[in-house]
Amino acid sequence: MKIKKLLLTAFTLFFSFSLYAANTIKIGASMPLTGMFAVPGSKHLEGYKMCVDMINQNGGWLGKKVVLLGIDNRSDTETAISQYERFINVDKVDLVFGTFSSKLTFPTSTILAKYNYTLPIPSGGALRIYRRGFKNLFYFQSNPAEYYGKQLLGVVQDRASAEDQPKTVALVHADDFFANSIANGLLGNKVKLPGSGKLVEDMAPGYIAQAGMKLVYHEQWPEEGFSDWLTLANSIKNSGAEMVIGMMASPEEAVQLTRALKTVRHNPKHLMLTQGTQSEFLEGLGDATEGIMIYSAWHEKAPFNGTLAGKRMNNSDFVAKYKAMNGKLPDEDVAITFALCQGIDQAVNATRSVDNDRIMAWLHTRSSRNPVKTILGDYYWDATGLPINKQALIVQWQGRELKFIYPTNEFQASPIVSPKPAW
Amino acid sequence: MEILQVIILGLCLGFVYALMVSGLTLIFGVMRIVNLAHPILIISGAFVSYWLFILFGLDPILSVPAAALTVALLGVLLYKLIFEKNAAQQTYSEMTVLLTFGTAMVIDGLLAFLFHNTQRTASPAYATDAIFIGDIFIPLAQLYSGMVSLGIIVVLALFLKYSEFGIAIRATSQNRTSAELVGVNVKFVCLISFAIGCALAGSAGSLVSFVFSFFPSRHWEWIAILMSLVVLGGMGSLTGAVIGALVLSVVSSLVGAFYSPAWSTMVFFLALFLILIIRPRGLFGIRTD
């Protein structure tokens, strides 16, 4: 009798689970929730969760509940690879969302291409990711990292007065896949594929040379475990650079570099960073943020229109919703993944399917007249998966707020603080 | 002049490292526990000081006792729960590697759950200030943290050398069985030593809270660096740990300034490899064979 009951219970549980599984659509996302990318990785997952929750509040996809499997890859490449393989082979996910950083995206994109899964990428701007002939990639930010230099220097050339134009520049960056890619563009290096050495693009003469500036200091710091920021800042100070460009994938490094530059009292005309839009940056530096320019994918005032679950979800709606939920402004890292999720939501609803081939085909056929519409703006991609006509934004800390300052043809830009006030 | 500047920066950072590592070496010396949870205990101390600073405006230097006490109590709890009952095991030292690794993961997860993996930095007014003497500058955050570290280490050294309980700790560290034979309550000494080691981690955490950014999973980066300092100085030697921290910190700064920051962290690992090959017991370690 007992055995009968046990079998019946087991069967009921199995049947209920199968029914539940059949009534859900599963998405896998391997995210760096601990380790060096913990801060942006956690915020990326927050954006995914917020979006998926809103989809479910509106009835899910195709009448099914959407389940997000977001797990921690410890910022580790091997773990991220095995987690995506597990998502596909064990969890049998329908779709995947991309991870954070070029470092993690490069290897995981190979795996996902092999399994023919659509890979929407939130953060993975290195050109090398997109030049391997994969058809499953869709990048949800702006131009690739190697091209960042154009805007990093362009904002100063176009918006700073003649006397604030820097003649010398110091370039410091993490020895990281993403930061090295930006440096390649600024320095005019040849971009090659790791392993094969195949030339991806020759960036010569480089944006610094094109801008007529002189590179007086160039240095890297190790990807992990670096703590001697004051010595680095002192070397930058000794170079006398009028403009400092700091490139990193982790906001923690942006705080440390800036604090060190302030401590040694190096006062460049302009300080430009690739991280630092996060609330943690403001918290760590306070008024010392004044005048610092940051490369960004998003701004709270951007008048971008989007949809989610068939309803309006403009950038202003997103900001209002996030503020109502959390009592504070969202960070760029939350907005990016929310936008990515909006894009996939539109693809699923348009194709009435979670079939990866159909979703890829639909995304590939987006155009300027019929783009994916998100809180980061409109998206349509070239054959490699890079967005077309998508400029990144340059923002500047002014009075403890992030103001949009460049490019001026996107939407209303604020006046620029130039030169950066002395510490 | 530049070399003097770099040495000053290296020394300031070195004293903080010395405090970070002193608890680790004490715990190993007395109990043979390779405490891989030590860095996450430092982070725990940093959180105590950070929140006292944010909520009550209490300077992180003034909150050193609070952080030390909190982490010491956490240490007592950990010791009672995890280490005490296994102390008699033959493979105790080896076991502690796994036990402390697991403990580190659990505390990491708890801290991340409570406070998220968001980076934190306490920012007292002096955190980005410096004294300028001609071309030389001394960063106040590093100077203050270095001085406090030095003070705590000196008090610890005096306590170990001259107090009755300190002598009991050293006796236990040198020969556990003999210490027991002459009437030392080894179990109690181990418990208090573990608590003191954790208190040192908490104190270091207070100072770390305004010298470095921190978040729960940051501790993984520090394990190897702290281990290299302990091994260089000699496992269990407080003097060795302090000298190891100062030497490696200065050398790392010199490499960063005159060669490349990309190689500065490598100094710690290179030292670890070299010392294990050339002199496995470290500079001040006692030969056990």
Side-chain angles (χ1 to χ4, degrees):
Chain A
M1 195 63 179
K2 269 186 181 174
I3 290 172
K4 253 187 182 178
K5 267 188 183 172
L6 204 65
L7 282 173
L8 192 67
T9 311
F11 177 76
T12 311
L13 279 174
F14 177 76
F15 183 72
S16 309
F17 181 76
S18 305
L19 205 64
Y20 174 78
N23 278 311
T24 59
I25 289 173
K26 286 192 278 187
I27 306 171
S30 166
M31 304 306 294
L33 307 180
T34 54
M36 65 182 296
F37 298 136
V39 173
S42 303
K43 294 187 182 213
H44 266 25
L45 186 60
E46 191 185 346
Y48 283 150
K49 279 182 176 169
M50 182 179 167
C51 176
V52 167
D53 285 348
M54 289 172 72
I55 290 168
N56 284 328
Q57 283 159 15
N58 286 283
W61 281 339
L62 316 173
K64 295 179 182 179
K65 188 183 175 191
V66 182
V67 177
L68 176 68
L69 306 175
I71 53 173
D72 180 19
N73 59 35
R74 308 196 311 269
S75 306
D76 176 60
T77 308
E78 295 304 318
T79 309
I81 291 171
S82 66
Q83 286 178 347
Y84 275 112
E85 289 205 302
R86 186 188 158 83
F87 284 145
I88 294 166
N89 296 315
V90 180
D91 299 315
K92 310 283 183 197
V93 296
D94 301 282
L95 298 168
V96 294
F97 283 166
T99 186
F100 174 84
S101 81
S102 295
K103 175 192 165 187
L104 299 176
T105 300
F106 188 85
T108 52
S109 60
T110 310
I111 299 299
L112 293 163
K114 185 178 88 177
Y115 288 105
N116 197 38
Y117 266 67
T118 310
L119 177 55
I121 297 170
S123 298
L127 200 53
R128 289 171 283 181
I129 293 170
Y130 303 91
R131 296 289 170 83
R132 292 172 295 162
F134 296 159
K135 301 294 177 200
N136 64 325
L137 311 177
F138 300 92
Y139 185 41
F140 276 82
Q141 278 198 44
S142 58
N143 40 2
E146 281 79 356
Y147 302 162
Y148 278 23
K150 190 176 178 185
Q151 272 158 302
L152 293 176
L153 301 177
V155 60
V156 173
Q157 291 180 304
D158 293 351
R159 296 220 59 197
S161 62
E163 64 264 31
D164 292 343
Q165 292 299 325
K167 293 182 180 66
T168 53
V169 58
L171 199 64
V172 289
H173 58 97
D175 187 9
D176 160 87
F177 209 105
F178 167 74
N180 287 337
S181 298
I182 309 171
N184 281 334
L186 284 161
L187 298 169
N189 294 338
K190 286 185 169 67
V191 181
K192 291 177 179 175
L193 280 182
S196 69
K198 185 185 163 194
L199 184 69
V200 169
E201 194 158 326
D202 186 352
M203 299 302 297
Y207 294 111
I208 291 176
Q210 276 177 6
M213 293 178 192
K214 186 181 176 194
L215 181 73
V216 290
Y217 186 74
H218 172 220
E219 199 50 83
Q220 289 174 296
W221 63 81
E223 198 177 9
E224 285 183 51
F226 183 64
S227 55
D228 200 3
W229 296 97
L230 285 168
T231 304
L232 176 66
N234 194 45
S235 298
I236 295 170
K237 183 184 181 185
N238 290 340
S239 76
E242 293 179 333
M243 180 174 184
V244 177
I245 303 177
M247 299 168 298
M248 62 288 287
S250 145
E252 188 236 339
E253 294 173 328
V255 172
Q256 290 298 330
L257 176 64
T258 310
R259 280 169 63 117
L261 287 169
K262 180 174 184 273
T263 306
V264 305
R265 297 287 184 276
H266 179 50
N267 283 305
K269 287 178 178 173
H270 306 285
L271 173 57
M272 176 80 67
L273 303 173
T274 58
Q275 286 284 340
T277 57
Q278 298 85 351
S279 52
E280 289 83 359
F281 187 75
L282 181 64
E283 188 189 292
L285 293 162
D287 291 333
T289 53
E290 187 68 13
I292 296 174
M293 292 184 268
I294 322 269
Y295 192 90
S296 178
W298 175 83
H299 188 266
E300 60 166 312
K301 297 271 168 59
F304 296 137
N305 297 330
T307 64
L308 185 70
K311 294 177 181 171
R312 190 186 91 166
M313 180 48 69
N314 296 344
N315 191 35
S316 55
D317 302 320
F318 164 73
V319 172
K321 175 96 180 166
Y322 188 91
K323 273 170 93 172
M325 285 167 61
N326 302 287
K328 60 178 183 178
L329 275 175
D331 276 349
E332 169 197 17
D333 288 319
V334 180
I336 292 167
T337 43
F338 187 90
L340 178 151
C341 175
Q342 276 183 299
I344 299 304
D345 170 71
Q346 288 162 37
V348 170
N349 286 325
T351 58
R352 304 293 304 156
S353 158
V354 286
D355 178 82
N356 278 277
D357 281 325
R358 293 179 67 181
I359 285 175
M360 269 186 258
W362 188 84
L363 290 171
H364 274 303
T365 52
R366 297 307 88 206
S367 64
S368 59
R369 301 178 75 179
N370 197 10
V372 162
K373 297 187 82 66
T374 78
I375 60 167
L376 295 188
D378 293 352
Y379 278 95
Y380 55 103
W381 297 265
D382 65 18
T384 68
L386 286 167
I388 298 169
N389 285 337
K390 194 79 192 98
Q391 302 181 94
L393 314 176
I394 303 287
V395 295
Q396 186 178 44
W397 284 102
Q398 297 179 12
R400 293 179 167 240
E401 281 181 27
L402 275 173
K403 302 283 188 189
F404 165 69
I405 56 167
Y406 192 78
T408 48
N409 61 352
E410 276 282 355
F411 55 97
Q412 183 62 47
S414 298
I416 182 175
V417 170
S418 174
K420 187 192 81 57
W423 305 113
Chain B
M1 197 59 100
E2 196 183 345
I3 194 163
L4 179 61
Q5 176 69 74
V6 175
I7 291 171
I8 289 171
L9 293 175
L11 282 174
C12 288
L13 206 57
F15 278 115
V16 181
Y17 279 135
L19 184 61
M20 287 168 81
V21 83
S22 57
L24 186 63
T25 203
L26 179 72
I27 288 171
F28 179 80
V30 178
M31 286 158 287
R32 296 289 179 261
I33 292 175
V34 182
N35 189 12
L36 298 183
H38 196 77
I40 195 67
L41 294 174
I42 293 173
I43 301 266
S44 305
F47 269 111
V48 172
S49 287
Y50 170 82
W51 284 115
L52 288 174
F53 177 74
I54 295 293
L55 297 174
F56 306 110
L58 186 65
D59 191 296
I61 290 176
L62 297 177
S63 65
V64 165
L69 185 64
T70 309
V71 181
L73 290 174
L74 177 63
V76 169
L77 186 70
L78 288 174
Y79 188 79
K80 284 279 177 192
L81 282 176
I82 301 168
F83 300 108
E84 195 175 51
K85 60 184 173 189
N86 293 313
Q89 302 269 354
Q90 268 196 334
T91 52
Y92 180 58
S93 236
E94 293 85 341
M95 273 174 67
T96 61
V97 175
L98 288 175
L99 283 171
T100 56
F101 184 76
T103 306
M105 290 185 85
V106 170
I107 300 176
D108 177 351
L110 275 173
L111 290 176
F113 176 74
L114 291 172
F115 306 122
H116 305 289
N117 253 313
T118 296
Q119 68 182 37
R120 317 272 176 173
T121 318
S123 302
Y126 53 81
T128 53
D129 220 337
I131 301 170
F132 287 83
I133 306 163
D135 289 340
I136 299 290
F137 70 93
I138 304 172
L140 289 185
Q142 275 75 0
L143 178 68
Y144 293 163
S145 58
M147 283 165 58
V148 173
S149 297
L150 182 62
I152 294 171
I153 291 165
V154 168
V155 168
L156 176 69
L158 293 175
F159 168 75
L160 290 176
K161 187 157 188 187
Y162 295 112
S163 77
E164 203 171 311
F165 200 84
I167 293 167
I169 289 176
R170 284 194 290 134
T172 308
S173 165
Q174 284 163 14
N175 193 317
R176 196 184 172 99
T177 315
S178 301
E180 254 176 338
L181 284 173
V182 295
V184 173
N185 183 346
V186 168
K187 272 191 178 177
F188 186 64
V189 164
C190 285
L191 173 69
I192 297 302
S193 302
F194 196 81
I196 293 173
C198 293
L200 291 169
S203 312
S206 264
L207 305 177
V208 159
S209 73
F210 62 91
V211 175
F212 305 128
S213 290
F214 65 94
F215 47 92
S217 55
R218 182 92 206 257
H219 71 109
W220 298 119
E221 286 179 22
W222 290 341
I223 288 175
I225 289 177
L226 296 189
M227 279 299 160
S228 68
L229 300 179
V230 174
V231 172
L232 176 69
M235 298 287 280
S237 163
L238 182 63
T239 314
V242 173
I243 291 174
L246 294 176
V247 167
L248 287 190
S249 183
V250 169
V251 174
S252 169
S253 291
L254 288 170
V255 169
F258 297 108
Y259 186 59
S260 167
W263 291 93
S264 61
T265 313
M266 188 63 79
V267 168
F268 296 98
F269 306 114
L270 196 62
L272 182 64
F273 285 128
L274 288 177
I275 204 77
L276 284 175
I277 293 167
I278 299 165
R279 194 181 160 89
R281 67 178 189 272
L283 296 176
F284 294 86
I286 300 156
R287 188 189 285 271
T288 52
D289 54 353

